[in-house]
Amino acid sequence: MSDTNSGSDAAETTDADDILDDLFELVEQRKEELPEGSYTTSLFTHEKGENAVLEKLGEESTEIVLAAKDDDTEELAHESADFVYHLLVLLSMKGMTLDDLREELAARFG
């Protein structure tokens, strides 16, 4: 997963503690601006609509399972990051936010 228009300065200024918020903000920005050449833009404008993201989530979840089965922690981290990114895109497509996710987690584990 790569967003070719994300800009090199984005990675330099992102703190690991804030990465999900920063990534979701970028997803929302891409959804609003739809910059040409952006992978995120291609997901929002795909002819399959949200099915394109749902297919990616299925693909990434299978790759997570395979990496875990093979005890390949590097690949597990890589595929998990891809899954989380596509999940954030889906949440954005559905008009949800990270706060919606946080609230659900807090209700279960808080």
Side-chain angles (χ1 to χ4, degrees):
M1 185 250 7
S2 171
D3 196 314
T4 57
N5 280 353
S6 63
S8 60
D9 60 339
E12 293 170 15
T13 60
T14 298
D15 185 310
D17 292 337
D18 300 323
I19 188 63
L20 289 178
D21 293 296
D22 292 346
L23 182 55
F24 192 75
E25 185 178 320
L26 180 65
V27 167
E28 291 284 275
Q29 179 184 4
R30 295 291 189 256
K31 180 172 81 171
E32 185 176 318
E33 298 174 3
L34 299 175
E36 191 173 322
S38 161
Y39 176 68
T40 306
T41 295
S42 74
L43 293 173
F44 282 110
T45 60
H46 199 283
E47 63 186 17
K48 290 183 178 180
E50 78 179 33
N51 282 345
V53 175
L54 297 174
E55 288 172 11
K56 288 301 291 182
L57 284 167
E59 173 188 323
E60 300 304 340
S61 63
T62 298
E63 292 171 352
I64 287 169
V65 170
L66 294 174
K69 186 177 181 311
D70 292 342
D71 290 324
D72 187 342
T73 56
E74 186 175 320
E75 187 67 11
L76 179 58
H78 177 84
E79 299 303 340
S80 295
D82 283 352
F83 184 89
V84 169
Y85 161 77
H86 287 94
L87 178 60
L88 295 180
V89 171
L90 180 63
L91 292 176
S92 178
M93 284 180 162
K94 294 295 190 179
M96 297 176 68
T97 67
L98 281 179
D99 286 340
D100 296 319
L101 182 58
R102 285 185 183 101
E103 289 171 14
E104 180 62 27
L105 291 170
R108 292 179 184 205
F109 306 107

